[in-house]
Every structure is written in C-alpha cells, then in structure tokens.
Amino acid sequence: FPRRYDYVVASGTFNLRIEDHDRFFRRMIEAMYAACRRGVGFNVLQPVPCESESEKAYAALDRKSYFAVSTAELLTFCHGFCPRVELLESESVRLETTVLLRRPE
C-alpha cells in the first residue's frame, strides 16, 4: 500500500482461488493491517460441511475454485498480529464470515 489509511476493506476479494492462494491471503491480510490506522474488514467463505456423500462431492469441486477457511484457523492466524479480532457470521449468505481487525486505541 502506498500510504496508511483509517480503514482497509476487502469484500469478496479472497473467494476465488488463485495460484498459491493461502500465501496470497495471509500476506494480503497482514499488509492490510499494516496499512490501517483504525481497522480492517474483510469477508471469507467457510468450508462446506460434509455430512452426506453429495456434500462431499460438492465440497471437493468447491475447493478447486473457491477459497474457504474455518473460523478457528482465522482466529489463530489473525490473533498472531492483531489483539482485537471479531468474527461476524452472515445472516444473508450461508457459510460466509466477516472479519474485523481493530487496532488498540
């Protein structure tokens, strides 16, 4: 980022997989946090639960195109550099989480 901003937001940015997506995702979140003065907001998909054979097949196809991360993994990663992490479950989109990272005041 060329300078610092009060807030840095990414909506839908991380949903579609690209080459080396896990590394890209982690580097971008850390860069966004480094560029913010107040906070960061972004959303990510959660893994599709696999309770039936058809859901397992769908999840396998889904993982090839879409990036998803568990809330536990998100918390562990984000708490590694940000003390104030909040996860908000979407009420309108199934299996989507909004993450808020706030700088200490």
Side-chain angles (χ1 to χ4, degrees):
F1 292 88
R3 61 181 200 230
R4 292 190 47 130
Y5 305 89
D6 287 342
Y7 296 94
V8 180
V9 177
S11 180
T13 304
F14 306 112
N15 293 349
L16 294 177
R17 279 196 176 278
I18 62 170
E19 187 175 329
D20 202 9
H21 194 89
D22 293 332
R23 183 172 176 260
F24 164 74
F25 171 72
R26 292 172 189 277
R27 288 182 64 210
M28 281 301 300
I29 299 305
E30 289 173 344
M32 290 168 61
Y33 188 72
C36 83
R37 285 189 283 268
R38 309 250 354 215
V40 169
F42 65 94
N43 57 0
V44 292
L45 300 173
Q46 296 174 18
V48 174
C50 298
E51 297 171 3
S52 69
E53 289 305 313
S54 62
E55 287 176 324
K56 288 178 186 175
Y58 175 76
L61 289 173
D62 193 56
R63 280 191 300 273
K64 290 180 182 178
S65 299
Y66 297 100
F67 175 72
V69 59
S70 71
T71 54
E73 187 177 349
L74 270 174
L75 284 171
T76 299
F77 167 65
C78 292
H79 276 298
F81 58 89
C82 178
R84 296 178 61 199
V85 178
E86 183 178 355
L87 302 182
L88 306 170
E89 301 298 321
S90 175
E91 293 181 18
S92 60
V93 179
R94 183 177 177 254
L95 299 175
E96 180 186 70
T97 300
T98 297
V99 181
L100 304 176
L101 307 176
R102 298 180 186 179
R103 290 229 177 249
E105 295 180 14

